[in-house]
Amino acid sequence: MRIITPLVFSATLAVVPFSVSAWEHEMERGVDLYQTADPVMVLSLVCDPNSVYGTTVSAVMVGVGSDLEMNAVATFRFPDLITIQATLDYGRISKSTNEGGAWEPLLAGFRSHNTVEISVDDVSHTVSLGDPMPFSCT
């Protein structure tokens, strides 16, 4: 009976849906780093909620393939059809610059959706974000 109970428990867990989290999180020197990546695109979010390094650190970063420092216009399309365009400056959309007011809508989209389609130049790709996360960015 002792062997059967763990087997039944394991089998039950195998069919229960788990939360999927594509975002990986780590803290480095007081800054929260979130990243999700696949072979086509890398999406990162750097949060400095306590202004350890000032507001210039917080940023959304996008990389296509091995190119992580692009200067191009990026378009983010969320499943609710909200579309946000922002200029990547060496692959970054900085909170301190907040060009065109993109910072807050991007955070809201990342916090409430599990996918985003990102288009940069002629590359368009849907990135899996997993379950929405309460990022520490403000």
Side-chain angles (χ1 to χ4, degrees):
M1 185 68 173
R2 283 184 136 11
I3 295 173
I4 293 174
T5 303
L7 290 175
V8 170
F9 183 70
S10 297
T12 303
L13 285 179
V15 295
V16 173
F18 283 97
S19 296
V20 177
S21 179
W23 289 104
E24 293 180 17
H25 173 252
E26 64 182 77
M27 181 168 274
E28 188 174 306
R29 301 172 73 193
V31 176
D32 286 308
L33 305 172
Y34 304 89
Q35 184 176 39
T36 184
D38 62 28
V40 177
M41 202 163 282
V42 176
L43 177 63
S44 303
L45 183 58
V46 178
C47 300
D48 185 9
N50 300 317
S51 296
V52 174
Y53 298 99
T55 60
T56 58
V57 173
S58 296
V60 172
M61 297 183 293
V62 177
V64 177
S66 61
D67 191 357
L68 303 175
E69 296 189 358
M70 298 174 293
N71 294 311
V73 173
T75 303
F76 299 81
R77 287 183 194 86
F78 292 98
D80 61 1
L81 304 180
I82 298 293
T83 301
I84 302 157
Q85 278 193 329
T87 301
L88 296 173
D89 185 25
Y90 293 99
R92 297 175 170 250
I93 300 166
S94 175
K95 175 185 176 183
S96 64
T97 305
N98 199 16
E99 180 183 310
W103 182 254
E104 290 83 7
L106 279 173
L107 284 181
F110 295 148
R111 285 182 174 134
S112 58
H113 297 289
N114 58 12
T115 62
V116 62
E117 180 185 343
I118 304 173
S119 301
V120 180
D121 291 332
D122 59 349
V123 176
S124 183
H125 186 67
T126 299
V127 177
S128 175
L129 305 176
D131 287 340
M133 289 187 66
F135 301 107
S136 63
C137 288
T138 56

